[in-house]
Amino acid sequence: MDLSSKIFVAGSRGLVGSAITRALEARGHTNLLTPNRGELDLFDRESVDRFFRDERPEYVFLAAAKVGGINANNLYPVEFLRDNLWIELNVIDAAFKHEAKKLVFLGSTCIYPKLAPQPLEESSLLTGSLEPTNEAYAIAKIAGIKLCQAYSKQYGFRAVSLMPTNIYGPGDNFDLKSSHVLPALIRKFYEAKVNESATVTIWGSGTPRREFLYSDDLADACLFIMDHYEDPEIINVGCGEDIPISELACLVSKVVGYEGSIVYDSSMPDGTPRKLVACEKLHSLGWHHKVSLEEGIGRTYQSFLQQG
């Protein structure tokens, strides 16, 4: 990408899209297309086609998606499957049709089988059953991957797919009904601190292990992949380290300054036992993450306080 290239960031108001936009601006890119939902409805095929026809973006980052934690995925499987399929089909097809030079599609590591060998290799895709608690979202993301690969195979369209691990950072969703585990923990411990609660209850047993990547690190990887990766086969993005939810809870409580006790509700679902991605493919190209987990949680907590 040249600094003058016209670049469309789909989902530019979200956690990942806003980080990609910041990274592009920091690198000196000025010709950015970052419409909000009111300006461009990604569910509307005609609107998306018209946008691409009129604006002619050269490069596309497809970071828009309907996302949420275990609770939201369990409650709204139709929306998680349907809405993500609409977004993917509309944007990928329009990008090809209106001759974008390249598209980067952001998937998710939930595409991998629930019991796939750890760490998760790219070759594990479609080798087993998915985790039931986020199956709808995973199927939608797999469809996006296969759509990119189909356009690449049939038409030579440069569409690549990256699979990020769990992402967190400034602008995250801290709503306890729909958020992922790390921002949910930040809100829980903050409210417990303010209310001087003696205990904080965490869903599940605390034993599942999760890997977390700071949103600005993912944005840096997205730009790196746009510039350096051409293979239609998927590529993982992570830090190569995971942590039990129980240790994560202790780390968040430390950053927030909560001094009470932590209780685990084992009647609630744990989700996948472990989800660590193998990053050798990306590391071999020269990219590595920069922000440590504790530093990233501190930055995210400060953004939470600023959000009010």
Side-chain angles (χ1 to χ4, degrees), residues 76-97:
Y76 308 110
V78 170
E79 285 79 2
F80 277 88
L81 179 56
R82 180 197 63 197
D83 292 1
N84 284 300
L85 288 173
W86 273 341
I87 292 170
E88 295 160 6
L89 179 58
N90 291 344
V91 174
I92 295 169
D93 184 63
F96 163 72
K97 180 179 177 182

Side-chain angles (χ1 to χ4, degrees), residues 148-265:
C148 286
Q149 291 176 341
Y151 273 101
S152 175
K153 178 180 179 180
Q154 187 170 338
Y155 297 113
F157 180 49
R158 297 168 68 206
V160 299
S161 302
L162 60 88
M163 301 301 114
T165 189
N166 298 291
I167 306 302
Y168 70 100
D172 214 332
N173 171 23
F174 297 95
D175 183 347
L176 293 179
K177 294 181 180 179
S178 59
S179 62
H180 289 102
V181 60
L182 200 155
L185 289 176
I186 288 176
R187 175 170 285 281
K188 280 195 171 189
F189 283 113
Y190 169 77
E191 291 182 350
K193 176 183 176 181
V194 170
N195 297 325
E196 298 183 349
S197 302
T199 62
V200 168
T201 300
I202 307 299
W203 274 25
S205 64
T207 58
R209 302 180 68 92
R210 291 292 183 270
E211 176 183 17
F212 298 92
L213 185 68
Y214 190 60
S215 57
D216 286 354
D217 274 336
L218 173 58
D220 184 61
C222 288
L223 271 61
F224 181 89
I225 286 170
M226 181 67 88
D227 286 339
H228 298 287
Y229 187 73
E230 297 294 334
D231 196 329
E233 294 303 315
I234 60 176
I235 185 168
N236 289 335
V237 182
C239 60
E241 303 170 359
D242 62 3
I243 182 174
I245 296 299
S246 58
E247 290 186 23
L248 176 68
C250 291
L251 186 56
V252 173
S253 67
K254 173 186 172 184
V255 171
V256 172
Y258 173 72
E259 298 180 351
S261 301
I262 302 172
V263 177
Y264 293 93
D265 182 359

